[in-house]
C-alpha cells in the first residue's frame, strides 16, 4: 500500500478523534516520502499539527464550511466535470465497476468519486496508474489548491503534494476557466440551498457503460462545467 496516498485520504476525510490520534503516524509517513520536496513536506506540517491539536468541534466546523458548503471546493471530483448532469450517473457507475473489478470495496457512504475514496483506491494500485490518474485530475487539484490558498487554509498543501506526486503540470487554460467561476459564500445558507438544487443522479445500470480504468474517466475532466449560479445580491 502507498501509505502517503492513504494518509492524504485520511487528511481529506471528515475530522474525528480517531483521526486526531493517528496524526503522529500520518505526519511521520508524509515527512519521510522522498517523492515530495522538503518544501512540500514542510507545507503539510501546519495541517497535520492543526488536526492533531485543535479542538475537534472547530475542526469539524472548518471542514464543513470548506468542503460541504462550497460547491467550488467539493471533494467529489465529477462535480467539477459533470455537475449533476445525467453524464455523471454513467461515470459513477463505471467508477464503481472499476473499484469492484480491482477487488476494492470502500466501507463508506460517500460517493465513489469522493477524493478520499479515490485516493484510498489508488493507494493499492501500481505507481504508473497512480501517476496517470493524478495527472488527469491535476487541473482540478490546482484549482482547489488556489481556492484554499485564497482562504489561507492549510488543506491547500495536500493538493500541491498530489500534483507533485503526479509529476505533471496542470492545463493552465482549464485551471483559469475553473477559477473564473464565482466562489460560494458558505455562510449564505439561502443562496447555497438555491445552488444545490440539483437533478437526481441515476446510478442504475448503463448498458453502454463498460469498465474503463479510472484514468480513462478522469481524462474527460479537461473541460469544467458551467459556473454555478451566483448568489443573488442582497
Amino acid at each position: 500500500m502507498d501509505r502517503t496516498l492513504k494518509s492524504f485520504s485520511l487528511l481529506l476525510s471528515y475530522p474525528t478523534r480517531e483521526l486526531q490520534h493517528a496524526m503522529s503516524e500520518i505526519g511521520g509517513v508524509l515527512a519521510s516520502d522522498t517523492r515530495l520536496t522538503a518544501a512540500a513536506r514542510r507545507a503539510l506540517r501546519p495541517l497535520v499539527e492543526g488536526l492533531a491539536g485543535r479542538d475537534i468541534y472547530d475542526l469539524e466546523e472548518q471542514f464543513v464550511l470548506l468542503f460541504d458548503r462550497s460547491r467550488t471546493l467539493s471533494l467529489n471530483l465529477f462535480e467539477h466535470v459533470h455537475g449533476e448532469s445525467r453524464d455523471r450517473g454513467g461515470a459513477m457507475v463505471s467508477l464503481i465497476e472499476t473499484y469492484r473489478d480491482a477487488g476494492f470495496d470502500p466501507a463508506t457512504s460517500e460517493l465513489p468519486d469522493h477524493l478520499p475514496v479515490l485516493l484510498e483506491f489508488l493507494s493499492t494500485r501500481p505507481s504508473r496508474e497512480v501517476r496517470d490518474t493524478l495527472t488527469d485530475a491535476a487541473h482540478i487539484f490546482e484549482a482547489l489548491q488556489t481556492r484554499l490558498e485564497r482562504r489561507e487554509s492549510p488543506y491547500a498543501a495536500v493538493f500541491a503534494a498530489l500534483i507533485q506526486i503526479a509529476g505533471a503540470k496542470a492545463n493552465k487554460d482549464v485551471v483559469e476557466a475553473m477559477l473564473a467561476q464565482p466562489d460560494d459564500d458558505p455562510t449564505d445558507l439561502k443562496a447555497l440551498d438555491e445552488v444545490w438544487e440539483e437533478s437526481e443522479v441515476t446510478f442504475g445500470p448503463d448498458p453502454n457503460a463498460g469498465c474503463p480504468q479510472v484514468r480513462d474517466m478522469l481524462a474527460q475532466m479537461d473541460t469544467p462545467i458551467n459556473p454555478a449560479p451566483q448568489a443573488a445580491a442582497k
Side-chain angles (χ1 to χ4, degrees), residues 80-82 139 174 220-225:
H80 300 284
V81 185
H82 303 298
H139 57 287
V174 176
Q220 302 174 21
M221 293 185 170
D222 289 338
T223 305
I225 60 172

Side-chain angles (χ1 to χ4, degrees), residues 108-136:
T108 177
S109 59
E110 297 289 355
L111 294 173
D113 65 332
H114 194 58
L115 182 55
V117 176
L118 177 63
L119 290 175
E120 183 175 357
F121 170 70
L122 290 178
S123 73
T124 69
R125 306 304 295 165
S127 58
R128 177 61 180 271
E129 183 178 340
V130 169
R131 290 193 301 271
D132 287 344
T133 302
L134 295 180
T135 294
D136 289 331

Side-chain angles (χ1 to χ4, degrees), residues 77 115 133-134 137-146 159 162-163:
L77 296 183
L115 182 55
T133 302
L134 295 180
H139 57 287
I140 296 177
F141 297 154
E142 185 166 326
L144 290 170
Q145 176 192 345
T146 300
F159 296 95
L162 288 173
I163 295 171

Side-chain angles (χ1 to χ4, degrees), residues 6-8 10-11 19 22-31 48:
K6 176 64 176 179
S7 295
F8 287 150
L10 293 171
L11 288 177
L19 177 61
M23 290 316 300
S24 176
E25 181 179 357
I26 290 173
V29 168
L30 300 178
V48 172

Side-chain angles (χ1 to χ4, degrees), residues 4-51:
T4 293
L5 292 183
K6 176 64 176 179
S7 295
F8 287 150
S9 173
L10 293 171
L11 288 177
L12 293 175
S13 299
Y14 186 77
T16 63
R17 295 191 188 281
E18 290 75 16
L19 177 61
Q20 286 189 302
H21 295 155
M23 290 316 300
S24 176
E25 181 179 357
I26 290 173
V29 168
L30 300 178
S32 62
D33 193 322
T34 57
R35 290 174 297 180
L36 302 175
T37 64
R41 295 195 295 269
R42 284 195 302 271
L44 288 163
R45 288 179 192 166
L47 176 61
V48 172
E49 293 171 356
L51 287 172

Side-chain angles (χ1 to χ4, degrees), residues 65-110:
L65 287 174
L66 286 174
F67 301 118
D68 291 345
R69 290 189 181 173
S70 179
R71 196 167 193 170
T72 51
L73 288 176
S74 175
L75 294 178
N76 295 329
L77 296 183
F78 291 157
E79 174 66 34
H80 300 284
V81 185
H82 303 298
E84 295 305 322
S85 72
R86 299 176 68 89
D87 292 338
R88 186 178 181 188
M92 207 78 75
V93 170
S94 295
L95 184 53
I96 292 171
E97 291 176 350
T98 299
Y99 287 164
R100 288 174 177 168
D101 286 348
F104 177 70
D105 185 17
T108 177
S109 59
E110 297 289 355

